[in-house]
């Protein structure tokens, strides 16, 4: 089959070259965007009198019928036509005749493909914003139920201070809130229109880029044609935001894996979100959070891959840029799949309150509070820290927790201790006492949830 660009050539393309350079196997995902871009372009060509209006109308009709075919998966894409742009143009010419060849007036695949990618990311980013928000909603629903459920809080994965379980979960709400803000902010830059830049230097035709921008809903037009066809920083930005989102998902997943282990037993994931073992009948494995954690790696790979593709490219378009697509599609799909599973997994998990309670009553995570107690009696914090360190060591040797020590034992360590020491020691009191803004006391957590509710769109 002769190529749309075949005029200058005397030989058929080597079949291996054809296969190696083609992008149609993956860029067919851009069919809808490619057609939208073409519809706007041809409308503008007609309105500006660059091609006759009746030709523009014929082309539009042809494009709309191809759009229908694409929506019903009825197009047979050909590797000989290399990419989505030439597949659609070929189909158009087959359908409406040589007039279809007027579509590519004043345009290049270079500004065309960049436009397709902007359109695609705009749609996907908008959808992802809602998926992130669904996860936030799931976190919020669980948190509201568990303001007064307490678990050990950890640093270095060692028990540190008890916290409200809602406080722990809500930490992720805010991470996802910033992710959502980043996605929303990135739309500003996704909304720059490349079309009208031609191959690299603009076009000799009197085009109207404002018109195209208006038809396609772009806010800004790339003011430099070479920049427009060469850069993919808007995709880098997306891949980087996607990687950050997956980092947050991965950390939360790690907590679910730990908490659902026999060693913690703080939560149980719903049966419908777990899988079994082919050999060990007793197993219920947290495959979903494990895979969420595991899939994070590929999104980092996609970011690094594109950074590397771009770093040495001279202006303007280079075929290397075709490598921008698969990683982007993969990150979009990974995010969609992950966020869609995460929300219901959070909603359906069972919180094992009794085990959490047992945990906070059997540790030394109230030690800071006794130090603070001595500080309130006038001792410098550093001295109080030393005394309580010794007290904890003593309690460990006596195989007792701090709440189990007799008053006389406290007094051996400092005469500042009074009977009211037992009031500050209960884990519930330890949590309630952290009543500073952003702290874990139930009062603060309730305020925090109120603030969070205002963030949901
Ligand atoms: N398939 C190409 C890509 O994805 C489209 C642009 C091709 N342009 C060119 N001058 N070969 O980048």
């Amino acid at each position: 089959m002769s190529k749309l660009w075949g005029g200058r050539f005397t030989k058929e393309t080597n079949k291996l070259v054809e296969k190696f350079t083609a992008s149609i196997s993956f860029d067919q995902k851009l069919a809808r965007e490619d057609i939208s871009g073409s519809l706007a372009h041809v409308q503008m060509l007609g309105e500006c009198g660059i091609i006759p209006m009746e030709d523009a109308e014929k082309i539009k009709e042809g494009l709309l019928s191809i759009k229908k075919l694409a929506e019903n998966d009825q197009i047979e894409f050909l590797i000989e036509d290399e990419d989505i742009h030439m597949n659609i143009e070929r189909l158009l010419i087959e359908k409406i005749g040589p007039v279809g060849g007027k579509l590519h007036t004043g345009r290049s695949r270079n500004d065309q493909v960049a436009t397709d990618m902007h359109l695609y990311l705009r749609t996907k980013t908008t959808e992802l914003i809602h998926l992130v928000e669904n996860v936030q909603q799931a976190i919020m629903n669980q948190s509201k139920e568990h303001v007064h459920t307490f678990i050990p809080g950890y640093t270095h994965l060692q028990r540190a201070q008890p916290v409200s379980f809602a406080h722990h979960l809500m930490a992720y709400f805010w991470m996802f809130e910033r992710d959502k803000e980043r996605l929303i902010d990135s739309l500003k830059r996704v909304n720059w229109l490349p079309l009208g830049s031609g191959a690299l230097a603009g076009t000799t035709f009197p085009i109207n880029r404002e018109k195209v921008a208006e038809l396609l809903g772009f806010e800004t037009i790339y003011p430099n044609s070479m920049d427009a066809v060469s850069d993919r920083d808007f995709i880098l930005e997306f891949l980087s935001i996607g990687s950050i989102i997956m980092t947050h998902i991965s950390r939360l997943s790690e907590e679910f894996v730990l908490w659902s282990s026999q060693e913690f037993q703080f939560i149980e994931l719903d049966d419908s979100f777990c899988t079994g073992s082919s050999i060990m009948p007793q197993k219920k494995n947290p495959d979903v959070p494990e895979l969420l954690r595991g899939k994070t790696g590929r999104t980092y790979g996609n970011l690094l891959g594109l950074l590397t593709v771009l770093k040495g490219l001279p202006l303007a378009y280079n075929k290397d840029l075709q490598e921008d697509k698969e990683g982007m599609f993969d990150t979009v799909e990974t995010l969609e799949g992950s966020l869609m599973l995460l929300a219901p997994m959070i909603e359906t998990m069972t919180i094992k309150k009794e085990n959490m309670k047992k945990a906070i009553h059997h540790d030394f995570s109230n030690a800071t509070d006794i130090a603070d107690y001595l500080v309130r009696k006038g001792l410098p914090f550093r001295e109080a820290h030393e005394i309580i360190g010794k007290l904890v060591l003593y309690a460990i040797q006596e195989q007792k927790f701090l709440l189990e020590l007799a008053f006389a034992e406290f007094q051996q360590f400092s005469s500042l201790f009074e009977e009211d020491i037992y009031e500050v020691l209960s884990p519930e009191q330890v949590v309630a006492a952290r009543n500073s803004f952003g702290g874990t006391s139930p009062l603060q957590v309730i305020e925090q949830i109120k603030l969070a509710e205002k963030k949901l769109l």
Side-chain angles (χ1 to χ4, degrees), residues 27-34 116-117 120 325 329:
D27 69 10
Q28 54 184 272
K29 286 204 174 77
L30 297 171
R32 189 204 312 216
E33 288 75 15
D34 200 69
D116 291 4
M117 302 287 274
Y120 174 86
K325 291 177 193 57
F329 292 141

Side-chain angles (χ1 to χ4, degrees), residues 128-402:
L128 285 168
I129 289 167
H130 287 104
L131 291 180
V132 170
E133 182 144 322
N134 290 345
V135 171
Q136 288 183 295
Q137 186 69 61
I139 290 174
M140 168 93 82
N141 294 347
Q142 277 290 10
S143 297
K144 279 185 180 166
E145 298 293 311
H146 293 288
V147 172
H148 294 276
T149 304
F150 302 147
I151 54 164
Y154 298 81
T155 62
H156 312 270
L157 203 57
Q158 304 287 326
R159 303 246 180 118
Q161 290 166 352
V163 292
S164 152
F165 184 56
H167 193 54
H168 193 134
L169 282 182
M170 286 299 290
Y172 288 95
F173 179 98
W174 297 106
M175 295 181 213
F176 289 123
E177 179 58 25
R178 291 189 295 279
D179 290 335
K180 200 171 73 185
E181 276 183 16
R182 273 184 275 270
L183 285 172
I184 292 170
D185 194 67
S186 74
L187 283 173
K188 279 188 218 148
R189 288 164 292 282
V190 171
N191 257 326
W192 283 41
L193 171 74
L195 205 62
S197 299
L200 75 162
T203 169
T204 56
F205 293 99
I207 56 169
N208 181 350
R209 296 186 69 195
E210 285 76 20
K211 180 73 205 175
V212 177
E214 186 196 311
L215 289 170
L216 292 173
F218 281 95
E219 286 163 9
T220 310
I221 299 169
Y222 275 89
N224 182 309
S225 60
M226 296 181 82
D227 173 35
V229 295
S230 306
D231 205 4
R232 296 291 184 264
D233 59 349
F234 67 105
I235 303 178
L236 284 179
E237 190 174 350
F238 171 75
L239 294 176
S240 130
I241 298 171
S243 297
I244 297 173
I245 296 176
M246 286 307 294
T247 305
H248 292 151
I249 292 179
S250 184
R251 292 187 72 173
L252 181 55
S253 298
E254 168 65 9
E255 311 246 37
F256 290 156
V257 172
L258 282 175
W259 289 344
S260 61
S261 71
Q262 207 70 47
E263 283 63 28
F264 278 78
Q265 297 189 54
F266 285 174
I267 61 165
E268 182 166 352
L269 297 174
D270 195 69
D271 271 7
S272 58
F273 284 86
C274 293
T275 52
S277 156
S278 60
I279 168 169
M280 297 165 283
Q282 85 285 10
K283 292 295 292 288
K284 175 174 164 182
N285 296 329
D287 282 26
V288 174
E290 288 172 86
L291 257 184
L292 293 175
R293 197 176 55 191
K295 279 183 184 292
T296 303
R298 63 199 294 153
T299 63
Y300 298 175
N302 295 334
L303 171 61
L304 245 109
L306 187 59
L307 281 168
T308 314
V309 165
L310 290 172
K311 71 178 274 291
L313 290 187
L315 298 187
Y317 180 85
N318 299 272
K319 185 74 169 181
D320 315 44
L321 290 173
Q322 183 166 286
E323 286 293 307
D324 63 354
K325 291 177 193 57
E326 287 156 290
M328 179 188 71
F329 292 141
D330 183 73
T331 290
V332 165
E333 281 157 28
T334 303
L335 285 170
E336 284 173 346
S338 302
L339 292 164
M340 279 196 299
L341 272 178
L342 187 55
M345 191 171 77
I346 294 172
E347 297 263 17
T348 57
M349 70 186 183
T350 308
I351 313 304
K352 298 183 164 176
K353 279 182 170 189
E354 283 310 308
N355 292 345
M356 291 176 171
K357 193 166 177 180
K358 231 183 274 161
I360 53 166
H361 278 92
H362 292 96
D363 63 20
F364 290 93
S365 60
N366 43 7
T368 316
D369 294 68
I370 324 181
D372 287 354
Y373 173 93
L374 292 181
V375 169
R376 279 194 295 274
K377 305 268 174 190
L379 210 61
F381 179 77
R382 198 45 62 208
E383 281 173 43
H385 186 288
E386 172 76 16
I387 291 172
I388 306 308
K390 295 216 166 85
L391 180 72
V392 167
L393 187 63
Y394 167 81
I396 292 171
Q397 281 158 357
E398 295 295 307
Q399 298 190 351
K400 287 179 180 172
F401 291 110
L402 296 172

Side-chain angles (χ1 to χ4, degrees), residues 29-157:
K29 286 204 174 77
L30 297 171
R32 189 204 312 216
E33 288 75 15
D34 200 69
I35 294 169
S36 304
S38 290
L39 283 168
H41 179 68
V42 78
Q43 170 78 20
M44 179 277 290
L45 289 179
E47 284 182 23
C48 293
I50 298 170
I51 66 172
M53 205 56 198
E54 61 266 30
D55 289 352
E57 291 300 335
K58 272 187 216 145
I59 293 173
K60 276 204 298 191
E61 257 173 54
L63 285 170
L64 288 173
S65 68
I66 296 172
K67 188 174 171 192
K68 270 219 185 79
L69 292 179
E71 279 163 3
N72 298 321
D73 274 334
Q74 284 170 332
I75 300 181
E76 197 203 330
F77 293 109
L78 302 178
I79 203 160
E80 293 82 353
D81 281 335
E82 195 180 320
D83 56 25
I84 186 65
H85 325 294
M86 291 197 292
N87 266 275
I88 288 181
E89 190 177 328
R90 157 94 60 198
L91 264 176
L92 180 71
I93 294 170
E94 270 169 22
K95 265 190 184 303
I96 65 170
V99 65
K102 294 194 177 186
L103 169 63
H104 212 53
T105 312
R107 178 177 87 167
S108 154
R109 277 186 293 157
N110 298 350
D111 55 350
Q112 191 179 352
V113 71
T115 304
D116 291 4
M117 302 287 274
H118 279 76
L119 287 171
Y120 174 86
L121 264 192
R122 188 170 69 186
T123 308
K124 288 300 177 183
T125 301
T126 310
E127 287 170 11
L128 285 168
I129 289 167
H130 287 104
L131 291 180
V132 170
E133 182 144 322
N134 290 345
V135 171
Q136 288 183 295
Q137 186 69 61
I139 290 174
M140 168 93 82
N141 294 347
Q142 277 290 10
S143 297
K144 279 185 180 166
E145 298 293 311
H146 293 288
V147 172
H148 294 276
T149 304
F150 302 147
I151 54 164
Y154 298 81
T155 62
H156 312 270
L157 203 57

